[in-house]
Amino acid sequence: MKFALPRPLAVGVFAALAASTGAFAQQAAPMSSPATSQSAAGVAGADADNTRLNRRDRNDATTTPTDQSNSSPAVDMVANVRKAIVDDDGLSVKARNVKVVVNNGVVTLRGPVADAQEKARVERDAASVRGVTRVDNQLDIATDSD
């Protein structure tokens, strides 16, 4: 037996259910005392996010993916560097997903890698591509929480 509500009633039931679960209504955050928020901060640890990296990226001199040229040679070089990195079977998934930015033959590498050896290996892969004049290795060694 199939149970169906008349359409206006079904919409009303859905709206009431959604409102009660907070899907449509924004609920205020619970009030907490200073002692509660301090203990929660102590448990979470200091700088549990990527604040250090965000501060670095605010610097206008830092190369970010938005600095990538859309010229055909630059796009081709990015593709060739990406292929060299992805084709290296000894790299972790993180290393294969690093950001690659090319401007005037200079390749900038950004993102996390597993260790110092992998950082050097990604740089070597990028430098091996024809037309690369310099590699700016800004790769970060990932921690267990990354």
Side-chain angles (χ1 to χ4, degrees):
M1 176 173 146
K2 194 172 187 181
F3 180 73
L5 294 173
R7 182 147 175 82
L9 183 57
V11 171
V13 169
F14 174 73
L17 180 61
S20 69
T21 61
F24 291 169
Q26 183 177 359
Q27 297 181 6
M31 297 289 289
S32 63
S33 67
T36 304
S37 62
Q38 287 175 353
S39 64
V43 171
D47 286 338
D49 58 2
N50 62 349
T51 302
R52 178 182 59 84
L53 297 175
N54 291 339
R55 284 189 189 123
R56 175 188 72 187
D57 291 347
R58 286 188 204 127
N59 180 349
D60 288 339
T62 301
T63 302
T64 61
T66 58
D67 297 321
Q68 172 65 51
S69 170
N70 287 326
S71 71
S72 183
V75 171
D76 290 343
M77 188 175 292
V78 168
N80 292 335
V81 170
R82 172 72 55 208
K83 182 173 179 1
I85 293 169
V86 170
D87 286 349
D88 188 339
D89 292 333
L91 296 176
S92 68
V93 172
K94 283 184 181 182
R96 290 180 182 188
N97 287 311
V98 297
K99 293 174 186 73
V100 177
V101 181
V102 173
N103 276 319
N104 299 323
V106 177
V107 175
T108 302
L109 302 170
R110 309 267 321 263
V113 293
D115 53 38
Q117 291 81 17
E118 195 168 62
K119 181 176 178 176
R121 193 168 180 164
V122 171
E123 180 176 357
R124 189 173 52 247
D125 289 343
S128 71
V129 174
R130 192 171 136 238
V132 172
T133 58
R134 184 172 64 89
V135 176
D136 181 10
N137 190 341
Q138 296 181 17
L139 296 172
D140 298 304
I141 297 173
T143 61
D144 290 338
S145 63
D146 286 346

